[in-house]
């Protein structure tokens, strides 16, 4: 059995059975101006460790020391002082909640959570969760941690072994059918890029040709100085042989259920976490046609009809996910990295990548 969550005030069940997974890379991402699908897959939930929602306090009110105690190490417009540990799940997996009418503000198409919890327990009327379904937001319900409790259940879903990751967990392709880069890739690469930048020690990073160059190469060239390349970026992880020579910085998978980061063998390699769905495509994906081929194909040959989707623009890591990750790395206090962050922040809405 999976977990269920109930109202802490009256005990009413507020969800269907759900299984815990890691927080998605795009959990706090804003994307475009249209309606987005659900953040979480049906039947799953995640627990966010960072504070969420109001009240908010401005940086000049909080100060660097108090912000650092909250895990933020460089200036941001404002910090959330909402509760930590929000339980996030798909709107369709909630039960017996009702909208609080005076807390439904948003931009134009729905609610964006600016007013705090906007769903109440139907049984007792206590505010229990925040529904977000406005344009540009991934649709989700976030239960306030102290407003619900987990109902005792049976055995939880078995943890997927690292060696089974490639066979049993789906990869996310980088390009959608319409030719747009996947927003999940933009978010995942934005988060990993902050870690790669910190691991670079401020020197240029060499990136292998192919999809890694398409997604990481241009941003690293723009953010780091030119000169002799002194760090190499690559991939490492379960089932993947380490290239020779080994990279100095390796993108490794974050476990899709637990969020645990795969640890490479002992050595000088710096491991940078990358969300599993993206890492799996980089490490193992091969483009294949889903249509039957009469007579078969020669070994090692790939069919080119229909062609796989190709992007119609250059890849850009998600700027807000990148910035949100970078300010939570203590290394951002180093002068060279803080200068990059300040330069990035001063660009406003212009594309820094």
């Amino acid at each position: 059995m999976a977990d269920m969550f109930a109202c802490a005030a009256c005990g009413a069940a507020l969800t269907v059975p759900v299984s815990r997974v890691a927080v998605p890379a795009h959990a706090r991402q804003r994307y475009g101006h249209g309606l987005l699908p659900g953040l979480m897959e049906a039947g799953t939930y995640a627990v966010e460790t960072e504070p969420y929602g109001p009240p908010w306090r401005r940086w000049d009110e909080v100060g660097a020391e108090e912000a650092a105690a909250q895990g933020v190490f460089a200036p941001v417009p404002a910090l959330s002082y909402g509760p930590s540990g929000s339980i996030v799940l798909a709107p369709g997996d909630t039960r017996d909640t009702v909208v609080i009418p005076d807390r439904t503000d948003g931009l134009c198409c729905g609610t964006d959570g600016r007013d705090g919890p906007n769903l109440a327990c139907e049984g007792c009327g206590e505010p229990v969760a925040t529904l977000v379904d406005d344009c540009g937001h991934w649709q989700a319900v976030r239960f306030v941690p102290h407003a619900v409790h987990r109902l005792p259940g049976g055995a939880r879903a078995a943890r997927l072994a690292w060696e089974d990751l490639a066979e049993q967990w789906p990869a996310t392709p980088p390009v959608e059918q319409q030719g747009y880069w996947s927003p999940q890739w933009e978010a995942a690469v934005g988060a990993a890029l902050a870690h790669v930048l910190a691991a670079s020690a401020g020197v240029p990073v060499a990136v292998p040709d192919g999809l890694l160059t398409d997604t990481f190469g241009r941003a690293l060239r723009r953010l780091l100085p030119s000169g002799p390349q002194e760090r190499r970026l690559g991939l490492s992880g379960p089932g993947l042989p380490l290239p020779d020579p080994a990279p100095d910085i390796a993108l490794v998978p974050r476990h899709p259920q637990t969020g645990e980061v795969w640890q490479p063998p002992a050595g000088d390699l710096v491991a940078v976490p990358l969300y599993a769905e993206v890492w799996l495509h980089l490490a193992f994906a091969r483009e294949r046609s889903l249509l039957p081929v009469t007579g078969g194909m020669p070994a090692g040959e790939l069919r080119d009809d229909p062609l796989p989707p190709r992007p119609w623009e250059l890849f850009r890591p998600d700027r807000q996910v990148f910035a949100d990750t970078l300010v939570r790395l203590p290394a951002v206090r180093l002068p060279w990295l803080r200068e990059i962050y300040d330069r990035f922040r001063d660009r406003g809405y212009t594309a820094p990548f």
Side-chain angles (χ1 to χ4, degrees):
M1 293 180 61
D3 297 328
M4 292 180 65
F5 292 90
C7 176
C10 71
L14 299 177
T15 75
V16 301
V18 285
S19 298
R20 184 169 178 175
V21 296
V23 179
H26 52 292
R28 303 288 182 98
Q29 183 188 37
R30 291 286 307 280
Y31 186 82
H33 303 285
L35 292 176
L36 297 174
L39 172 67
M40 306 298 300
E41 294 289 338
T44 68
Y45 78 95
V47 178
E48 289 195 299
T49 57
E50 296 176 7
Y52 177 80
W56 295 85
R57 295 176 60 189
R58 295 183 59 82
W59 174 265
D60 53 9
E61 176 188 355
V62 173
E65 185 174 348
E66 185 175 338
Q70 287 212 38
V72 178
F73 302 101
V76 294
L79 280 78
S80 169
Y81 276 73
S84 302
S86 298
I87 299 150
V88 191
L89 67 165
D93 285 339
T94 63
R95 295 294 184 269
D96 297 328
T97 60
V98 293
V99 173
I100 302 173
D102 59 349
R103 297 187 181 181
T104 57
D105 280 350
L107 294 176
C108 59
C109 299
T111 60
D112 61 11
R114 69 180 66 182
D115 300 316
N118 53 25
L119 295 179
C121 171
E122 187 176 31
C124 66
E126 283 294 314
V128 292
T130 302
L131 167 67
V132 174
D133 60 359
D134 204 353
C135 53
H137 296 265
W138 296 94
Q139 297 183 26
V141 168
R142 287 175 168 82
F143 278 100
V144 180
H146 63 260
V148 295
H149 66 267
R150 186 174 64 85
L151 294 175
R156 299 189 181 185
R159 180 189 182 278
L160 185 64
W162 283 116
E163 55 268 23
D164 297 329
L165 191 64
E167 293 296 329
Q168 299 188 27
W169 200 265
T172 297
V175 183
E176 298 180 339
Q177 289 297 325
Q178 301 88 346
Y180 294 100
W181 286 102
S182 163
Q184 290 95 326
W185 272 67
E186 293 177 358
V189 172
L193 177 64
H195 288 274
V196 172
L197 196 62
S200 73
V203 301
V205 173
V207 183
D209 291 337
L211 195 50
L212 277 180
T213 289
D214 294 340
T215 52
F216 284 88
R218 193 165 62 96
L220 289 170
R221 289 194 299 271
R222 289 196 171 195
L223 294 173
L224 292 171
S226 59
Q229 295 174 335
E230 299 183 30
R231 298 286 190 276
R232 295 184 304 276
L233 181 67
L235 293 173
S236 184
L240 193 67
L242 199 64
D244 186 20
D248 303 293
I249 306 167
L251 300 166
V252 302
R254 187 187 294 275
H255 197 281
Q257 293 171 308
T258 67
E260 174 191 359
V261 178
W262 185 82
Q263 294 301 313
D268 297 331
L269 184 151
V270 179
V272 167
L274 182 64
Y275 284 82
E277 295 81 358
V278 171
W279 182 88
L280 284 167
H281 187 96
L282 285 168
F284 299 114
R286 300 291 183 269
E287 293 175 342
R288 298 182 178 94
S289 171
L290 298 179
L291 298 178
V293 180
T294 302
M297 292 285 288
E301 297 295 329
L302 298 178
R303 177 171 175 165
D304 60 359
D305 178 27
L307 292 173
R310 293 290 186 238
W312 55 270
E313 63 178 354
L314 294 174
F315 181 88
R316 289 187 174 87
D318 189 285
R319 56 170 291 118
Q320 192 57 54
V321 174
F322 167 76
D324 287 347
T325 304
L326 189 58
V327 298
R328 286 170 172 79
L329 300 180
V332 76
R333 294 180 291 192
L334 296 171
W336 70 269
L337 192 51
R338 175 60 186 273
E339 189 275 332
I340 290 176
Y341 173 73
D342 289 341
R343 176 160 40 93
F344 175 91
R345 188 178 53 154
D346 292 341
R347 294 289 298 270
Y349 287 102
T350 59
F353 305 129

